[in-house]
């Protein structure tokens, strides 16, 4: 598990980037509409997605340890629900914008100074990239670093295209940005759906957990991993002998939880213990039992041998009855 202190630090970085990206995106769409700059409008859509994702990550990191007993993983699902609404909204805007772009003329005189807005966004992306590099060992941050590299390169090209103001170059940049937005939206939409319905996913640490536990002699039946927003829930099923002491079962469960908890981005752990199957042995038939004749009569050859045992049983029953009546 990631230390709470580090989570709060990363949360502040995400909140900082989201709080600054949001006004820049609003400025881009404002001046993009005034000067009919297709690049600024397309880049503003991209900025809205990045700003919303950053704010969601910040909020999620702050509430990760505030699970309620009624909804143990409900707070994690808030991120997925918010991502669904945001991506649907952005995709609808992007598709409508593409339709308007096809039927309208984008060959307007766009002032070169508008490129400064895009470059200011690229400067902010670079600053956030530098801040996040300190926490690159966190998977969530590592993914955002890759995203920031692509954003930075796209913003540099977009600013250059505004300065050149060439029709086909503008169209190429706009469709590239819109394509990137749609691809990123589809990926986030799919992950949000998988998180909400609890699909078993192939997490990178799944095989590593199995290898470590089996090296300790723990019999692993299965390991299930599901997404909880940007984090994971791990469900481990282990088998133990039926005669295993309850204290040992508790110690093994605690060991499994501690090992799984050491992996980053694991928010919840469940360990189920099932008994190992005992091999069934075939019953051996002996010839000591009395044989039954065709007339359904017991063979009385060894009757005297067993009658003594029957008398002892009857005597024992009588002694028990007497003891009970005396009490």
């Amino acid at each position: 598990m990631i230390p709470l202190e580090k989570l709060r630090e990363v949360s502040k970085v995400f909140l900082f980037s989201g709080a600054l990206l949001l006004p820049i995106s609003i400025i881009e769409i404002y001046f993009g509409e005034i000067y009919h700059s297709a690049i600024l409008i397309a880049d503003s859509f991209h900025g809205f997605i990045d700003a919303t994702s950053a704010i969601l990550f910040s909020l999620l990191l702050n509430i990760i340890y505030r699970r309620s007993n009624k909804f143990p993983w409900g707070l994690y699902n808030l991120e997925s629900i918010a991502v669904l609404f945001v991506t649907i909204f952005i995709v609808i805007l992007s598709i409508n914008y593409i339709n308007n772009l096809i039927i309208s003329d984008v060959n307007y005189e766009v002032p070169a100074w508008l490129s400064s807005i895009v470059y200011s966004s690229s400067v902010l992306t670079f600053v956030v990239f530098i801040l996040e590099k300190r926490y690159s060992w966190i998977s969530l941050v590592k993914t955002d670093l890759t995203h920031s590299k692509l954003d930075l390169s796209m913003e540099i090209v977009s600013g250059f295209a505004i300065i050149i103001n060439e029709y086909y170059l503008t169209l190429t940049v706009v469709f590239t940005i819109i394509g990137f937005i749609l691809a990123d939206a589809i990926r986030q939409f799919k992950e949000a759906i998988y998180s909400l319905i609890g699909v078993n996913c192939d997490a990178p640490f799944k095989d590593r957990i199995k290898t470590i536990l089996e090296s300790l002699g723990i019999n692993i039946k299965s390991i299930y991993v599901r997404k909880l927003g940007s984090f994971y829930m791990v469900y481990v099923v282990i088998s133990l002998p039926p005669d295993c002491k309850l204290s040992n079962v508790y110690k093994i469960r605690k060991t499994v939880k501690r090992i799984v908890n050491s992996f980053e981005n694991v928010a919840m752990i469940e360990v189920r213990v099932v008994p190992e199957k005992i091999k069934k042995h075939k019953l051996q038939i002996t010839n000591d039992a009395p044989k039954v004749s065709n007339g359904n009569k017991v063979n009385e050859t060894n009757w005297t041998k067993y009658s003594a045992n029957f008398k002892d049983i009857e005597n024992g029953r009588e002694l028990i009855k007497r003891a009970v009546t005396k009490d």
Side-chain angles (χ1 to χ4, degrees):
M1 176 67 71
I2 306 171
L4 179 60
E5 196 176 307
K6 297 297 180 183
L7 287 177
R8 286 175 177 168
E9 292 177 5
V10 177
S11 174
K12 291 178 181 178
V13 174
F14 279 127
L15 185 61
F16 169 78
S17 62
L20 292 183
L21 274 175
L22 199 57
I24 291 177
S25 301
I26 295 173
I27 293 172
E28 283 182 336
I29 197 169
Y30 174 76
F31 284 103
E33 290 290 343
I34 291 178
Y35 293 99
H36 303 283
S37 175
I39 293 178
L40 276 181
I41 295 174
D43 194 60
S44 67
F45 292 164
H46 188 196
F48 280 128
I49 288 183
D50 291 346
T52 306
S53 300
I55 293 173
L56 283 174
F57 288 155
S58 176
L59 293 175
L60 183 70
L61 291 171
N62 274 323
I63 63 178
I64 182 172
Y65 286 106
R66 299 178 186 176
R67 299 190 299 268
S68 63
N69 294 327
K70 190 173 182 181
F71 302 103
W73 54 80
L75 295 176
Y76 296 100
N77 290 333
L78 286 176
E79 180 195 1
S80 301
I81 294 172
V83 167
L84 287 179
F85 283 107
V86 171
T87 52
I88 290 172
F89 176 71
I90 297 297
V91 166
I92 292 174
L93 284 180
S94 300
I95 293 174
N96 289 334
Y97 183 69
I98 290 174
N99 292 332
N100 295 330
L101 189 64
I102 293 174
I103 62 176
S104 62
D105 184 15
V106 296
N107 194 14
Y108 293 99
E109 289 295 330
V110 179
W113 64 267
L114 289 178
S115 61
S116 61
I117 300 176
V118 179
Y119 285 137
S120 63
S121 178
S122 65
V123 170
L124 175 61
T125 303
F126 181 73
V127 172
V128 173
F129 178 82
I130 297 299
L131 293 175
E132 288 182 348
K133 280 196 73 175
R134 297 171 54 193
Y135 310 97
S136 58
W137 49 274
I138 302 176
S139 298
L140 186 63
V141 177
K142 190 184 299 182
T143 303
D144 196 64
L145 284 174
T146 305
H147 187 211
S148 298
K149 291 179 184 177
L150 187 57
D151 286 351
L152 189 60
S153 59
M154 284 300 304
E155 287 162 354
I156 293 173
V157 174
S158 297
F160 178 74
I162 290 176
I163 296 173
I164 298 298
N165 196 23
E166 204 275 327
Y167 177 76
Y168 292 105
L169 178 60
T170 300
L171 281 182
T172 302
V173 172
V174 168
F175 280 106
T176 302
I177 295 174
I178 294 295
F180 178 72
I181 291 173
L182 294 177
D184 196 47
I186 291 172
R187 178 186 60 81
Q188 291 188 12
F189 189 86
K190 183 179 72 171
E191 290 181 355
I193 292 292
Y194 283 176
S195 176
L196 289 173
I197 64 179
V199 174
N200 183 29
C201 61
D202 292 327
F205 54 79
K206 188 175 180 179
D207 294 333
R208 181 63 179 159
I209 290 175
K210 186 177 181 181
T211 302
I212 294 174
L213 294 179
E214 287 180 344
S215 66
L216 296 176
I218 300 174
N219 189 11
I220 304 297
K221 302 294 290 185
S222 57
I223 298 177
Y224 302 97
V225 180
R226 62 163 292 188
K227 290 293 292 293
L228 293 175
S230 301
F231 300 89
Y232 295 95
M233 175 182 179
V234 182
Y235 185 79
V236 183
V237 182
I238 62 176
S239 62
L240 296 174
D243 58 348
C244 186
K245 294 181 179 179
L246 187 60
S247 59
N248 292 334
V249 174
Y250 174 77
K251 290 178 182 178
I252 293 172
R253 288 183 74 254
K254 191 175 180 180
T255 301
V256 173
K257 282 190 174 184
R258 187 174 66 252
I259 292 173
V260 177
N261 202 30
S262 64
F263 289 84
E264 61 185 58
N265 287 359
V266 175
M268 296 186 67
I269 306 164
E270 292 291 337
V271 181
R272 181 185 175 189
V273 181
V274 297
E276 292 180 355
K277 291 184 178 179
I278 302 175
K279 295 181 180 179
K280 295 181 179 180
H281 299 281
K282 292 183 179 180
L283 296 176
Q284 296 180 353
I285 301 175
T286 60
N287 296 325
D288 295 335
K291 296 180 181 179
V292 179
S293 62
N294 293 333
N296 200 25
K297 294 180 180 180
V298 178
N299 187 357
E300 298 180 356
T301 306
N302 295 324
W303 181 257
T304 56
K305 177 180 177 181
Y306 297 103
S307 61
N309 296 332
F310 294 150
K311 290 179 180 179
D312 292 339
I313 294 172
E314 291 295 331
N315 293 333
R317 290 177 179 172
E318 290 295 329
L319 292 174
I320 292 172
K321 287 181 181 179
R322 290 175 185 174
V324 171
T325 52
K326 284 181 181 180
D327 293 337

